[in-house]
Amino acid sequence: MFPCAEAMYAQGVVPSVEEKSLAEALAALPLDQALRQIHEAPVSQMTPGAAIALRDLGNTYIDTKPPLSLPLYVEAQAIAVRSGDDAVRAPIDYNVGTANRLAGNLDAARAAFDEALELYTKLHPKLPDVAKIHSARSVVRMYLGDTEGAIADGETAYKENQQAGDEVGMARALNSLGNTEMVLGRFGRARQRFEEGLILARKHNQRQGEAYLLNNIADSYLQEDNAELALPYALQAIKIKEELGNREDLYSSLVNLARVYDSSGRNKEAIETITRAYAVAKEVNKPDAMARSLAEWGAIEEHNGHYDAALKLLQEGIAFTLPISDHLHENEMLVQIAEAEFDLGRYDDAARDGQQVLDFARRASLPKMIEAAALVIARAQMNAGNYDGAHTSLQTAIAAVEQMRDDTAGGTLAASEFFSHHAEDYQAMVEVDVKQQRWQEAFLTSEQEKGRALLDLLSQGRISFGSVLTAEERKEEAALRRKLTQLGGQRTSAALAAKPDAHRIAELDTQLQATRTAMTSFRERMFAAHPQLERRQGRASLISMEQAAELMPSASTAVIEFEMTPHATYLFTLTRGKSGAELHTYVIDITLSALTARIRRFATSLQTRDPGFAASSRSLYQLLLAPAAHDLAGKSSLVIVPSGDLWRLPFQALQRNDGKFLVETASVSYAPSLSVLRAYGKTSRRLSSLVAFGDPAEDLPEAAQEVKAVSRIYGKTHASSFLRKEASLENFRTAALTEDDHEVLLATHGVYDDRTPMSSYLLLASGDTSARTVPLEASQIADMQLKSPLVVLSACETAKGKYQAGEGLIGLGWSFLAAGSQSAVASLWRVDSASTTELMIAFHRALRQGSSPAVALQHAGRMLVRDPKYHHPFYWAGFVVLGNN
């Protein structure tokens, strides 16, 4: 991480002129000749000073041309051995280890560090010297696959440096620990280590160390498929390395930048950048650098569907890892090779190579690698019809995912983000279970994949983020929040101007994204500093078939759960029978891409008020619900657990062949999973009052009328309403977050951010003269502790979000559930103000008469369906009930 020549120096030994001359003469010879001369020379000439003189020559190259330093260090080591001076030999052994590590000679590096540590322990050295050895050996052990030893060395190095008061050494140890956490798949925890180290590196102006840590933070975000957050760190790392002239490690930051471009679909820039990275790696002649550059190049080609080209690059890259015993990168590339082989239809080769990786990963206890290898093996086995073998392989993969999820650092959203990238394992298991007619196992695996973040919150509770911060930390958070609020207000004002300035809006968007990145970095540091903020470990209880039966109060209720996979969609129905829950499973023979396209076309036809929507409405009913017609007959209450783009489908707008909409025969609610509903069921609360906010921007007169009308339904003594300037963020925090058992109604603008859904926001009045309105972002809402059983978002696109596998639709509606509300009523598209007012008044009348939210919304929807003016689903189908009904 930091300049290697900082290493260590023998104290009190100053080479003489003669000793320097001898060193220079030996340095001019080829290594084998020099070593022969050292062994044959009289012992009297092999002095500690001569060893130090050669070591000093090696130090001149270690930071810029490491390969040139290695033979000089080896010659110095040979002289030190002959001199018998362990005090001189110990630091030279460390230098030999460092040069071998940089040259990729990992076994030799490990042996040299072991020797150095043994000598230093015998000599009773200063703690920082021993800490440097532990820190360096930690890196080597990681590459050799000894992750347990790598963590032990890293922790020891950190404690030794802390005891010695060496903050630069602490930063070095944190970098080593973070890298090992990355290998273990604990990316959030790794980032916490890197962030701590970055603070120390900057404090002591360790520019090279700063660059390494920035690069590793970028890598951690890329491992979580978050290219947007990785980009600024990768660019900062490149800038510093270029300023310092550090060609040796420039390639690693270029590799990360290429990964950013690849993840963002910027293919031309990705190829240009990875080509440059490989050229730099060849220039410095580092085998590990060339291997890693080729690995990423192969990944880019594979993502582009160029499987032959990918395989060729990966095979070329893996060849560099074999002579240097870089077992970690060898197996990382081998699993990539197995994936390329699978894509080329070479299933036996894929299974063979995947098994080799799995064996290594199990020995090294690497859950991330175990998951990747087991999944590719399972895919090959499924293709061969070996479903028993695939079932076993997928059990291995899923166990590894669950282990990594438990180890994920940070809050619930961090765990959710991680889990979303591994949904394929669960979807494949559903497919295998269905193939083997294990219906209950298939259903329970589908459940295991869904709603996990909300389930953690409901089952394990939460600690307020702000409650554990120090005064200084709260001040920093407040400054970032204030900046976000100010920029958000300015951005909203600019967008709502009579003549919006596109340049100004783009400028504000850039500033907003930079500030959000700063806030993310701050929160990462806080999770590291305050372990009590961590998502509580231990898995929340997933539902059983017996418990699922308890969720259905009568025979008139049916649960409809979907699992979308690349090749088919699986439909599960759960109804209440005489002896408990009755489960039926149906296979819908349609690919993921085809079903997604049909859903999106239908949703567009509703949002654009297309009069020809009925054909799509009926065909989707026949595709998705008709197979289970027998199970759904006579059911008046439907609980739908969607998957994928089915979250964007308003099922209530689907039509039977007789032309009746689903809303005319059944109430519909949407849930992340049955396990989440069961957790809600333990804490159900009744509504007693209303807290309503309307028209904060003073441009929605219908919203103000809606709030007044709903307040009259509740009555003066049970309603608190805040209109226009009074509908402020401060009043929301005061009124909506402090009372129990009340409904919160927000009749305001909602703005959906499709790039970062947790940056979607509602507008509230600012309460001051700096801006008319301020945004309340989904990420802020999710951090709140809301006591309201029901939140109604009478605003545009508040139910929209980014589908996140394993969680559902992440956005404004989800954020209120995460904050503690049992149910949220929200909209899937930009709604019509007049029809929304009528819908909301009818909804609240039914609600006050004792109907559940879903039944009340059904009542309001049917009323609009009967009105010729509002018969089209555009006017009523956009609102959905999320969560517990």
Side-chain angles (χ1 to χ4, degrees):
M1 165 183 155
F2 297 96
C4 300
E6 281 190 354
M8 298 176 219
Y9 296 85
Q11 301 297 314
V13 179
V14 179
S16 65
V17 173
E18 292 79 8
E19 289 167 333
K20 289 180 180 179
S21 297
L22 174 61
E24 290 170 358
L26 289 169
L29 296 174
L31 178 60
D32 58 341
Q33 293 182 29
L35 290 176
R36 191 181 309 116
Q37 187 167 322
I38 290 169
H39 289 301
E40 294 173 355
V43 173
S44 59
Q45 292 182 14
M46 299 299 102
T47 62
I52 293 298
L54 266 167
R55 193 279 319 276
D56 288 347
L57 290 173
N59 284 348
T60 62
Y61 297 113
I62 189 64
D63 283 327
T64 55
K65 297 179 180 178
L68 297 182
S69 67
L70 180 56
L72 300 173
Y73 286 151
V74 170
E75 293 165 20
Q77 183 186 48
I79 293 175
V81 169
R82 290 207 68 195
S83 75
D85 191 327
D86 287 345
V88 169
R89 179 185 168 189
I92 294 175
D93 280 345
Y94 173 85
N95 294 150
V96 170
T98 298
N100 271 305
R101 177 177 69 81
L102 293 173
N105 306 324
L106 299 177
D107 287 325
R110 168 69 189 270
F113 288 139
D114 287 347
E115 290 173 5
L117 193 59
E118 183 180 348
L119 289 172
Y120 265 92
T121 301
K122 184 172 70 175
L123 293 168
H124 305 293
K126 297 178 181 178
L127 278 174
D129 290 342
V130 177
K132 284 177 182 175
I133 302 173
H134 277 127
S135 190
R137 191 173 69 172
S138 172
V139 175
V140 171
R141 294 176 86 168
M142 177 189 73
Y143 286 135
L144 289 171
D146 180 12
T147 51
E148 186 176 339
I151 289 285
D153 270 343
E155 294 283 9
T156 300
Y158 182 80
K159 291 173 184 175
E160 288 167 342
N161 283 306
Q162 190 176 45
Q163 187 177 343
D166 183 355
E167 291 188 335
V168 173
M170 288 165 64
R172 182 185 295 109
L174 285 165
N175 187 61
S176 298
L177 283 166
N179 279 320
T180 306
E181 299 281 14
M182 291 266 285
V183 171
L184 291 169
R186 303 196 289 242
F187 308 121
R189 199 175 303 279
R191 197 157 48 247
Q192 290 175 1
R193 307 273 200 184
F194 297 143
E195 291 280 4
E196 287 183 72
L198 186 62
I199 292 170
L200 296 174
R202 284 173 169 166
K203 178 179 177 181
H204 295 278
N205 196 32
Q206 291 287 329
R207 295 276 286 158
Q208 185 163 303
E210 179 185 359
Y212 283 31
L213 285 157
L214 287 166
N215 187 61
N216 288 337
I217 292 171
D219 193 11
S220 73
Y221 279 123
L222 285 166
Q223 295 287 352
E224 295 175 336
D225 290 342
N226 196 332
E228 188 169 17
L229 287 178
L231 179 59
Y233 290 98
L235 291 174
Q236 288 179 67
I238 289 171
K239 183 174 184 292
I240 293 173
K241 288 176 182 180
E242 289 181 331
E243 288 173 355
L244 295 175
N246 180 3
R247 303 286 291 174
E248 287 296 315
D249 197 64
L250 178 61
Y251 85 93
S252 65
S253 297
L254 290 170
V255 166
N256 279 342
L257 184 59
R259 291 165 65 193
V260 168
Y261 290 145
D262 183 35
S263 299
S264 306
R266 298 162 65 175
N267 185 61
K268 181 181 177 182
E269 291 150 296
I271 292 294
E272 288 174 350
T273 306
I274 199 62
T275 303
R276 183 185 170 201
Y278 182 58
V280 171
K282 286 179 68 177
E283 175 191 325
V284 298
N285 195 31
K286 291 179 65 174
D288 61 328
M290 289 185 279
R292 293 171 71 181
S293 300
L294 288 167
E296 181 55 31
W297 198 340
I300 293 170
E301 294 292 358
E302 186 168 8
H303 295 160
N304 289 328
H306 305 151
Y307 304 125
D308 284 314
L311 188 59
K312 182 179 178 182
L313 288 164
L314 292 166
Q315 289 170 335
E316 184 181 346
I318 203 170
F320 286 112
T321 68
L322 301 177
I324 61 176
S325 302
D326 186 351
H327 303 310
L328 177 65
H329 289 118
E330 173 193 348
N331 282 276
E332 285 181 347
M333 294 183 75
L334 188 57
V335 79
Q336 285 182 264
I337 286 173
E339 290 165 350
E341 288 168 336
F342 179 87
D343 291 328
L344 286 167
R346 294 165 50 180
Y347 305 120
D348 290 342
D349 292 344
R352 180 201 64 224
D353 289 337
Q355 188 62 54
Q356 182 177 329
V357 175
L358 183 60
D359 292 341
F360 168 81
R362 279 174 164 159
R363 289 194 303 271
S365 299
L366 302 176
K368 178 189 171 191
M369 192 177 289
I370 288 172
E371 184 270 338
L375 182 58
V376 76
I377 294 168
R379 292 169 65 201
Q381 290 167 328
M382 289 168 68
N383 187 77
N386 179 9
Y387 293 107
D388 285 332
H391 191 272
T392 300
S393 298
L394 288 169
Q395 284 180 320
T396 299
I398 288 173
V401 172
E402 294 288 342
Q403 178 186 337
M404 288 188 287
R405 183 181 186 277
D406 288 347
D407 290 338
T408 300
T412 302
L413 278 174
S416 172
E417 183 70 25
F418 163 79
F419 196 73
S420 70
H421 304 308
H422 297 278
E424 181 184 357
D425 306 64
Y426 299 83
Q427 292 165 358
M429 183 65 96
V430 170
E431 182 178 347
V432 167
D433 283 336
V434 170
K435 288 284 188 183
Q436 297 191 300
Q437 298 185 8
R438 291 198 287 249
W439 314 120
Q440 288 194 11
E441 290 87 344
F443 171 73
L444 293 174
T445 299
S446 181
E447 270 289 305
Q448 187 181 5
E449 182 222 345
K450 295 182 172 75
R452 298 293 294 276
L454 278 179
L455 187 59
D456 283 345
L457 287 172
L458 294 169
S459 303
Q460 302 168 12
R462 63 190 296 163
I463 297 174
S464 171
F465 185 80
S467 65
V468 302
L469 304 186
T470 66
E472 195 62 31
E473 288 165 349
R474 283 197 297 272
K475 183 178 178 181
E476 185 177 354
E477 184 196 27
L480 285 167
R481 284 286 182 209
R482 190 162 51 249
K483 188 173 182 181
L484 279 172
T485 298
Q486 290 170 348
L487 289 169
Q490 292 170 23
R491 204 272 183 204
T492 301
S493 297
L496 295 177
K499 293 183 178 180
D501 182 341
H503 177 74
R504 174 61 175 157
I505 291 172
E507 185 180 70
L508 288 167
D509 282 340
T510 300
Q511 293 179 44
L512 267 170
Q513 187 55 49
T515 308
R516 285 173 183 148
T517 299
M519 176 62 85
T520 299
S521 176
F522 169 77
R523 290 174 67 86
E524 296 276 1
R525 287 191 284 111
M526 294 306 98
F527 277 113
H530 304 285
Q532 62 268 46
L533 284 173
E534 291 276 6
R535 182 177 55 88
R536 299 180 187 183
Q537 299 303 308
R539 298 174 194 172
S541 176
L542 297 169
I543 202 165
S544 66
M545 293 303 298
E546 293 75 17
Q547 292 163 341
E550 298 170 4
L551 293 177
M552 290 174 286
S554 69
S556 64
T557 299
V559 172
I560 305 171
E561 182 156 340
F562 292 93
E563 187 67 59
M564 292 177 72
T565 74
H567 308 296
T569 290
Y570 300 95
L571 163 63
F572 303 98
T573 62
L574 205 62
T575 55
R576 188 164 188 164
K578 293 180 180 179
S579 58
E582 292 185 357
L583 174 70
H584 294 105
T585 305
Y586 304 89
V587 179
I588 301 173
D589 188 16
I590 186 171
T591 64
L592 177 67
S593 58
L595 179 54
T596 298
R598 288 178 65 173
I599 292 169
R600 293 183 179 181
R601 282 197 300 269
F602 177 60
T604 299
S605 73
L606 298 189
Q607 294 169 36
T608 58
R609 292 179 250 200
D610 181 354
F613 73 90
S616 292
S617 176
R618 291 174 183 175
S619 69
L620 283 170
Y621 184 98
Q622 291 301 311
L623 178 71
L624 299 172
L625 298 179
H630 178 76
D631 305 334
L632 304 181
K635 305 305 182 205
S636 59
S637 175
L638 303 181
V639 178
I640 297 178
V641 181
S643 171
D645 262 57
L646 288 169
W647 273 103
R648 308 181 196 278
L649 177 65
F651 280 81
Q652 59 272 22
L654 299 185
Q655 287 179 298
R656 303 184 315 200
N657 283 335
D658 62 6
K660 280 186 176 289
F661 290 108
L662 186 61
V663 74
E664 297 181 78
T665 59
S667 65
V668 178
S669 63
Y670 298 83
S673 73
L674 290 191
S675 299
V676 167
L677 289 189
R678 179 170 177 268
Y680 276 127
K682 299 175 182 178
T683 56
S684 60
R685 304 193 296 269
R686 292 183 61 84
L687 296 171
S688 60
S689 59
L690 171 75
V691 178
F693 302 83
D695 193 22
E698 300 185 46
D699 62 350
L700 292 174
E702 294 93 343
Q705 293 304 315
E706 177 187 322
V707 167
K708 290 177 183 178
V710 174
S711 296
R712 286 195 293 270
I713 293 171
Y714 271 88
K716 288 184 178 180
T717 58
H718 296 285
S720 301
S721 59
F722 300 88
L723 297 174
R724 302 181 183 89
K725 292 180 180 179
E726 295 301 313
S728 65
L729 180 58
E730 184 60 35
N731 283 336
F732 176 81
R733 286 176 173 152
T734 302
L737 301 181
T738 55
E739 298 181 27
D740 291 333
D741 303 333
H742 60 277
E743 173 196 342
V744 173
L745 170 63
L746 289 150
T748 177
H749 287 289
V751 178
Y752 170 62
D753 187 330
D754 60 353
R755 290 173 58 206
T756 52
M758 290 303 284
S759 298
S760 303
Y761 59 87
L762 297 169
L763 284 183
L764 291 172
S766 65
D768 59 41
T769 57
S770 62
R772 188 169 59 182
T773 59
V774 292
L776 175 62
E777 291 194 352
S779 59
Q780 294 172 268
I781 295 165
D783 275 340
M784 295 176 174
Q785 295 198 355
L786 195 62
K787 301 176 182 180
S788 168
L790 174 66
V791 174
V792 178
L793 304 174
S794 179
C796 296
E797 302 183 303
T798 48
K800 286 185 72 174
K802 171 187 176 184
Y803 171 68
Q804 188 159 290
E807 198 55 45
L809 213 59
I810 300 293
L812 280 165
W814 185 93
S815 69
F816 279 101
L817 299 181
S821 179
Q822 290 189 23
S823 306
V825 175
S827 61
L828 288 166
W829 54 72
R830 293 183 180 276
V831 292
D832 173 76
S833 297
S835 63
T836 296
T837 298
E838 292 202 25
L839 183 84
M840 283 294 152
I841 291 171
F843 166 77
H844 282 95
R845 281 179 179 152
L847 196 66
R848 289 296 284 167
Q849 290 169 4
S851 295
S852 69
V855 171
L857 191 60
Q858 179 197 15
H859 169 79
R862 285 192 303 197
M863 187 191 77
L864 266 66
V865 167
R866 291 193 292 267
D867 185 336
K869 184 168 59 173
Y870 297 131
H871 179 77
H872 194 288
F874 165 80
Y875 295 102
W876 50 267
F879 281 96
V880 293
V881 176
L882 306 172
N884 186 27
N885 185 35

